[in-house]
Amino acid sequence: MGFIDEEYLLDSETAVDLYDAIADLPVVDPHNHIDLREVVDDEPWNDIWEVEGATDHYVWQLMRKRGVPEEKITGAAGNREKWDALAEVFPDFAGNPTYDWVQLDLKRRFGIEQPLNADTADEIWTETKRQLATDAMRPQSVLREMNVEVLCSSDDPTSRLEYHERAETEVRGVEVRPTWRPDRALKVETPAWESFVDELDAVTEPAVDDFEGFLDALAETHDYFVDHGCVACDIGTGTTPVSRPVSVERAGDVYAKARRGASLSEAEVRDYKAFLLEFVGELNSEAGWTTQLHVGAVRDYRESLYDDLGKNAGGDVSTQDVDLVDGLDYFLDRFDGEMEIVVYTLDPTHYPSLAVVSRAYPNVSVGPAWWFNDSPMGIETQLERVASVDLLANHAGMVSDSRKLVSYGSRFEMFRRSLANAVGRMVDRGRLPYDNAERLVEHVAYDRPKELYGL
């Protein structure tokens, strides 16, 4: 097997055949962090660092691990200097999926076969800069070349979705939908909550002086997203999802106390979040949306990084300390059969619990191997767990979860090859016939996400 050849990641002829059946299917990406302004404006990128490194905290983390100074990662150094610094340490990324994604990007998007390293950095910089100046490498052209059919961005409820409105007429060949993400509305214990309430007040009709007005204003943004084609809600639950019955009076008292700037007890924070999670679920159920729960991220764990660079700089981690079963119990029972629910867990030790919970509720699906788990090992391990405990046919499929547009194709390729490998082993072990396996991989790779999100 050669470097990223036709059999890349595929362990058998059966896996090769299964991948051939799904390789060219359109990409349906229900969760990503795309910069939609970049897509709508459709301006050319300037250089390969802007494409591969400028927004990718996966790349940043690994460069830091190999001793690259921050100046050459997120600092004042020029893009060429940052690219050279990446190339110098890039061979040491071997085994991490970031290595695969960057090499896949270079090969699939630019036709560059050689590995990235200090010796090839200059040639790759020059060739990619030449190609990036052409219309074929503008953002919209790249999306079409990657066969992206649908992408759903992640958007704050206070967004007016101006670029989504422009995308309807200015982006050809790709369906772009917003996703309503009310995380800041739930984080009543943080300064971001107060900012959110003020921003909500500025863009909605109901006054947010009292809790009823706040809920009405939140519902107004929900309706606004419905009108703009939204089909899903993203909720980051943090390390512990909190679902239990809480009265509107209790939640309203906590709201009033928070608005006064008073400190809240842990019980008050939990009760407020539990009430609002149920309220959001009610809005989603009425709208026919899919609710996506992202469980287990410990944000801003590395304090010095957050102090210097702020959020989304590569300082988040996962934890095993999550009570998934008790934490989701009330919410899942409350919306049993009423709406589709997709659960993403950040720590892989939670897959066994998530798979049995999903098995118990027909409207609950296991989300794709997320964040630290979207490697060939992580994807295949999760798919095999879901297949053996729940149903692989009910797996939610793949999402890019990416801020880097050119990597959408690479991430979906890695998933589809891993899917073909996992199902191919079932065929080779005599567990199912090939025609059944082919239908299954086609379903999970394409039909299932369209069905699950009503696309």
Side-chain angles (χ1 to χ4, degrees):
M1 182 180 294
F3 178 53
I4 308 186
D5 65 5
E6 293 304 310
E7 296 182 3
Y8 164 67
L9 296 183
L10 303 173
D11 293 340
S12 69
E13 287 301 317
T14 305
V16 171
D17 292 341
L18 289 174
Y19 177 67
D20 286 345
I22 60 177
D24 296 327
L25 290 174
V27 168
V28 176
D29 187 2
H31 174 71
N32 58 70
H33 299 276
I34 194 167
D35 179 358
L36 192 54
R37 177 171 56 181
E38 178 180 67
V39 174
V40 173
D41 289 345
D42 203 31
E43 295 293 330
W45 289 290
N46 293 304
D47 54 60
I48 191 62
W49 173 261
E50 192 173 293
V51 168
E52 288 291 348
T55 64
D56 191 343
H57 56 79
Y58 289 55
V59 169
W60 301 348
Q61 285 181 310
L62 300 187
M63 291 177 74
R64 291 179 190 127
K65 287 293 290 186
R66 297 306 300 152
V68 177
E70 198 65 38
E71 180 185 10
K72 295 183 179 182
I73 302 173
T74 63
N79 284 4
R80 177 56 199 267
E81 193 174 359
K82 291 175 178 177
W83 174 251
D84 287 345
L86 171 62
E88 182 71 32
V89 299
F90 190 75
D92 298 333
F93 291 9
N96 188 286
T98 303
Y99 183 94
D100 298 50
W101 294 326
V102 171
Q103 291 289 175
L104 282 167
D105 292 348
L106 292 173
K107 183 165 185 174
R108 304 296 188 229
R109 307 284 79 80
F110 296 95
I112 293 172
E113 300 279 348
Q114 65 262 52
L116 173 61
N117 54 50
D119 294 333
T120 61
D122 183 67
E123 181 183 352
I124 292 174
W125 174 274
T126 302
E127 173 58 20
T128 54
K129 196 168 183 62
R130 181 191 69 77
Q131 292 190 40
L132 288 169
T134 68
D135 287 345
M137 288 304 298
R138 289 175 181 256
Q140 291 186 31
S141 296
V142 172
L143 285 173
R144 289 191 292 269
E145 185 268 328
M146 292 188 297
N147 203 14
V148 176
E149 179 179 319
V150 184
L151 60 84
C152 300
S153 57
S154 188
D155 306 278
D156 192 272
T158 61
S159 172
R160 297 297 84 191
L161 304 177
E162 298 92 339
Y163 285 97
H164 290 82
E165 291 178 348
R166 286 182 56 188
E168 292 182 16
T169 57
E170 297 180 40
V171 178
R172 296 181 295 104
V174 182
E175 185 177 343
V176 181
R177 293 177 182 261
T179 302
W180 195 71
R181 183 152 194 167
D183 287 22
R184 290 197 298 157
L186 276 77
K187 294 179 179 179
V188 68
E189 77 281 17
T190 70
W193 180 82
E194 189 66 38
S195 300
F196 173 80
V197 176
D198 291 341
E199 292 171 30
L200 183 67
D201 192 34
V203 300
T204 56
E205 185 67 27
V208 299
D209 298 333
D210 58 31
F211 193 46
E212 181 180 0
F214 171 76
L215 295 179
D216 289 343
L218 202 57
E220 184 181 296
T221 69
H222 200 278
D223 291 340
Y224 186 80
F225 274 60
V226 169
D227 293 341
H228 284 75
C230 183
V231 295
C233 166
D234 277 333
I235 306 173
T237 67
T239 56
T240 304
V242 180
S243 68
R244 61 183 180 213
V246 176
S247 70
V248 67
E249 292 80 13
R250 165 66 169 171
D253 289 343
V254 178
Y255 178 86
K257 187 174 179 180
R259 288 288 281 166
R260 293 195 303 269
S263 60
L264 304 176
S265 68
E266 291 185 7
E268 288 171 325
V269 171
R270 287 196 301 269
D271 285 349
Y272 171 86
K273 288 184 175 181
F275 177 89
L276 208 61
L277 181 62
E278 183 176 359
F279 177 75
V280 166
E282 290 170 353
L283 295 178
N284 295 345
S285 180
E286 291 169 7
W289 288 1
T290 298
T291 297
Q292 302 183 108
L293 301 176
H294 301 262
V295 182
V298 182
R299 301 288 183 178
D300 309 320
Y301 183 76
R302 186 182 173 197
E303 288 188 20
S304 63
L305 198 64
Y306 177 74
D307 291 342
D308 291 341
L309 301 176
K311 64 180 182 179
N312 299 326
D316 302 333
V317 301
S318 65
T319 178
Q320 293 179 312
D321 190 19
V322 175
D323 193 341
L324 189 74
V325 175
D326 285 347
L328 292 177
D329 185 20
Y330 175 75
F331 186 84
L332 298 184
D333 283 337
R334 170 68 178 78
F335 297 103
D336 188 357
E338 293 191 14
M339 66 178 172
E340 296 290 349
I341 299 170
V342 179
V343 183
Y344 303 71
T345 56
L346 191 49
D347 194 292
T349 61
H350 299 135
Y351 291 157
S353 294
L354 178 56
V356 296
V357 167
S358 176
R359 176 172 170 153
Y361 294 86
N363 64 315
V364 176
S365 301
V366 177
W370 172 45
W371 202 338
F372 302 123
N373 305 309
D374 51 5
S375 63
M377 179 197 73
I379 293 168
E380 290 187 34
T381 300
Q382 193 217 42
L383 292 175
E384 290 173 351
R385 167 69 65 174
V386 172
S388 63
V389 176
D390 189 19
L391 284 176
L392 188 52
N394 279 61
H395 188 273
M398 177 58 176
V399 300
S400 74
D401 190 38
S402 180
R403 290 174 170 78
K404 191 164 69 178
L405 186 151
V406 296
S407 281
Y408 291 0
S410 299
R411 293 190 180 209
F412 273 78
E413 178 176 343
M414 180 179 285
F415 172 79
R416 290 175 177 182
R417 287 179 179 273
S418 299
L419 172 65
N421 224 25
V423 176
R425 279 195 291 273
M426 299 180 197
V427 176
D428 292 339
R429 298 180 70 189
R431 297 188 62 200
L432 73 162
Y434 181 84
D435 59 346
N436 191 345
E438 186 174 287
R439 286 196 302 272
L440 179 59
V441 296
E442 290 173 350
H443 174 75
V444 175
Y446 179 69
D447 297 324
R448 175 60 177 161
K450 294 196 74 172
E451 164 194 283
L452 183 60
Y453 292 88
L455 296 167

